[in-house]
Structures are given as structure tokens and as C-alpha cells.
Amino acid sequence: MPTFNAALLALAISATAVLGHGHVRRVVVDGVTYPGFERWSNQNQNNAVTWHFTTEDEGPVLVSGLNGPDIICHQGATNAQASIPVAAGSQLQVVRFNTIGGYEHPGPEIHYLASCGDAGCAQVDKNILRFFKIYEKGLVQGGMADSPQWNSQKWATTEVHKNVQPEGDGFIDTFTVKIPQNIKPGPYILRHEVLGLHKAHEGNAEFYPQCINLEISGSGTEQPQGAPATEFYHSSDPGIVTNIWVDLQSYQIPGPSVSSITSKREIIKFSNIKRHPRDLKH
């Protein structure tokens, strides 16, 4: 007969398994709203700024897909045809939608950029994109996992979810990211990603990447080299194989370190965040 703690863990995991599925519904910049791709819409989506995807349940990219093309911009992703004009140094609000309670998965929030080059973001081959990390936030406060409140053990995603808002037949969570002030202007992909670690102890961490087309303006000159998204993660990484259902006091965010293009004042540092020893070029 299962113990009470085991039964509670199973209940928490089953609940978050449903709550995680979702997508970027829109992006807001300087008060202007830009629509995201809607999987089930019958309307023309040429004005969508997020890349199209094919997953029917808006579910995750699994650990088995970490080194394949789906990890780049999500399952079966194809280019968005529209872009968001944004000035370097500006903030974007990435608004995720879910029909059952919003995005409650405990885990990190990560943002990358990649130049689309001369091809432009509407035509670029996703397999040649080279991403550099501009933001990451993982374990905000160590403690015992306490789903669904997450007042003891706190994560980037669970803190965002505390401000969840109802919308239509579902709910929205809003993530905020700042474009580096000194970045070279041009067409870029913003790769917004959240991780669900509720099943990581079973080897089943969940990845939710989505790509957003940007046209960045400004007078900056920096453009880090970056690396393919298919090289970011490995199934044995400490931040991917981990158990959050304990009194967790530290956590290694997977992937490369934050690029030097992001100023030190903009990098959020917590004493309980560890860096991965594998530091890709950026």
C-alpha cells in the first residue's frame, strides 16, 4: 500500500502534468500587442510572430528530443511570417495561455537570442540558428516542495504563476524579458523556454521552447557567436536529472551560461543557483 507521502507526490505530479501544456498567445512591447500562433485557429496566421508548431496537446519536448530539431523552436516548428519591431534595451512581455489553470510547472525560465542573418526570420533555416543566452532564472528559494502553493520551494515559473489571470476559457501567465542594450541591430529569434521539473526524478523533465521573430533596432555593435540549440542540453545534466520533491537547496540551470552581452546588473544572481561546468561558446 503506498504511503501518504507517495500518494501526495503522485497527485501533485498528475496535476502539474495537465497544467503545463500551453503556448505563447501574444507578446506585448511598448503597449502594442502582437499575436502568437494559435494551433486550432481557422484564421489566417500570417500576422503571428511566434513560430508555428504541430503538437496537438501543446505538450512538451521530452528528454529523448533534446538533441533533435524539435528542441529548437518546439515540435514541428516552422517560421513565423511576421516580426516584432523592438528597440534594444526594451522589455517584452511574453504571455502564455493555458486552458486549465495556467502554467504551473516548477522549473527555470530561460531566454536566448539568435541572429537570422541575411535570410531574415521568415525564411531562415532553424537548423543554422546559433543562440546565446540572455536571461535565466531557476530556483528562487530553496525548501521542501509544496505544490500547488510553492511558498516554501520557489521557482521562476511558480513565482510568475502566482500572478496568473483568467482569460476567456483559460488562464494566462506573463513572463518579462529585456533585450540587451548593446546588441547589434537586425532580425533575431527570441527563444523563450520554460522547463517543467515535476517528473525530472523519473528522467522525464519537460521542455517548452517557443520562438518569436524580432526586428531589433538600435546602435549596438555586439553579436555573440552562440551555439545550436541541439547542443544546449544532455539527458545526464544535473539540472535535467534532479529530484525537486525533497528539501531542495540548490539547483544547476542547464545549458550555457548567460552571455556577456547582458550586463551584470541585468543578470539575476541567487546564492542557490549553480552554473553548469560545461560552458558552451557564447
Side-chain angles (χ1 to χ4, degrees), residues 141-204:
Q141 176 179 291
M144 183 64 71
D146 54 340
S147 175
Q149 293 82 16
W150 299 105
N151 289 325
S152 176
Q153 186 184 114
K154 298 180 180 181
W155 293 89
T157 55
T158 59
E159 288 299 284
V160 168
H161 185 66
K162 289 176 182 178
N163 295 312
V164 64
Q165 297 293 322
E167 179 174 288
D169 58 351
F171 301 84
I172 57 170
D173 292 297
T174 301
F175 297 81
T176 301
V177 61
K178 183 178 180 180
I179 303 301
Q181 181 70 51
N182 52 346
I183 194 168
K184 182 180 179 180
Y188 287 84
I189 298 293
L190 173 66
R191 184 176 178 275
H192 161 77
E193 184 173 44
V194 285
L195 275 62
L197 300 177
H198 52 294
K199 291 185 178 180
H201 64 292
E202 300 175 348
N204 295 320

